[in-house]
Amino acid sequence: MDINKIRVLFDRFAPEYDRHMLETNHISVQHKILDDFLPLLHGSVLDVATGTGTVAKYIRGKSSCKVYAIENSPEMIMEANKNSQGIEYRVTDAHRLPYENETFDAVTISYGFYWFESPEKVISEVRRVLKPDGIFIVMEEQFKQGQIPKPKFSERGEYLEELANLENYIGIYGLKQKIEGKGFGLIREISLPIDEVHNTVGMVYQKT
């Protein structure tokens, strides 16, 4: 996996990313899942792989939580900061979170895991920065049987086709195995359709 190439391509994608997420129903589904999970959130929340901050901003607007957010793409963070809503954004690598042990009450990752070079390392970092009994919320795509696991934006061609080909799709079952193998217990799961091809699966884990 070429992490540097992925970052460069997401930098290019940043100015039109929000429009894509709205048009493809991703943001609407994110928010519906978060509405179900919001009662579990309190205190401080870290949104990893925040992109333009769609999850971070929704949590900030719907709760009293103090929200932090990190992203590897500087251009994505620049877009997010156009309407920061008091969220503390940082450009940094999810594999090496710049926070002390047991800092956050909750960590969220949405549509991020298939772009990580080492999902296991990211999960370990999430566990490290979570307080005891902290909450880990994950939202990821699950393709329906017989469908090719490729991001929706690949249909637009150009550099986005190149970006789609760099995705490391491991599937929800594989992702669950990795998370649960790092000391998390699943406490809630819901699935909502995005379109005729795939769903978003929302999972709430607790640090054990």
Side-chain angles (χ1 to χ4, degrees):
M1 175 174 277
D2 190 338
I3 296 300
N4 290 330
K5 187 66 173 177
I6 290 171
R7 183 177 63 251
V8 168
L9 293 170
F10 268 112
D11 278 346
R12 288 184 63 185
F13 195 14
E16 51 183 326
Y17 183 77
D18 281 350
R19 180 167 58 86
H20 159 77
M21 292 288 280
L22 283 167
E23 290 175 351
T24 57
N25 201 36
H26 284 77
I27 289 179
S28 174
V29 170
Q30 273 182 336
H31 291 176
K32 287 176 183 176
I33 291 173
L34 284 170
D35 283 340
D36 190 86
F37 295 165
L38 279 170
L40 300 171
L41 297 179
H42 67 277
S44 59
V45 178
L46 173 65
D47 186 39
V48 174
T50 195
T52 56
T54 56
V55 167
K57 290 172 184 176
Y58 195 74
I59 292 172
R60 182 69 187 90
K62 292 283 187 174
S63 75
S64 60
C65 294
K66 172 62 178 174
V67 182
Y68 302 77
I70 67 112
E71 166 62 47
N72 202 31
S73 162
E75 294 297 325
M76 287 284 190
I77 290 294
M78 188 176 296
E79 291 293 323
N81 265 319
K82 289 179 179 178
N83 179 19
S84 69
Q85 297 184 19
I87 297 165
E88 183 179 307
Y89 291 103
R90 297 178 71 168
V91 178
T92 193
D93 184 357
H95 298 79
R96 292 176 289 276
L97 296 176
Y99 302 102
E100 298 293 327
N101 295 352
E102 300 183 359
T103 297
F104 298 102
D105 296 287
V107 174
T108 61
I109 299 179
S110 179
Y111 305 133
F113 262 107
Y114 302 153
W115 302 105
F116 295 145
E117 184 173 29
S118 173
E120 294 89 348
K121 175 62 175 172
V122 174
I123 296 164
S124 293
E125 280 291 275
V126 169
R127 193 175 193 282
R128 180 183 67 78
V129 301
L130 272 175
K131 295 177 182 178
D133 298 323
I135 295 296
F136 182 24
I137 291 176
V138 179
M139 287 180 279
E140 265 301 353
E141 292 180 331
Q142 182 177 42
F143 284 78
K144 297 176 182 178
Q145 190 171 5
Q147 298 292 336
I148 299 172
K150 205 168 191 179
K152 190 75 172 176
F153 54 72
S154 65
E155 298 174 0
R156 295 169 57 188
E158 300 178 354
Y159 71 92
L160 293 176
E161 175 71 15
E162 183 180 3
L163 178 59
N165 289 330
L166 292 169
E167 185 186 50
N168 179 28
Y169 181 77
I170 58 176
I172 294 298
Y173 177 74
L175 181 56
K176 282 182 175 180
Q177 285 188 311
K178 292 179 187 298
I179 295 172
E180 291 166 14
K182 291 292 184 179
F184 287 95
L186 182 67
I187 61 173
R188 184 159 178 76
E189 177 179 342
I190 58 176
S191 179
L192 293 177
I194 298 173
D195 52 32
E196 71 283 356
V197 175
H198 58 306
N199 302 328
T200 291
V201 179
M203 296 163 282
V204 181
Y205 286 90
Q206 190 161 43
K207 180 178 176 180
T208 59

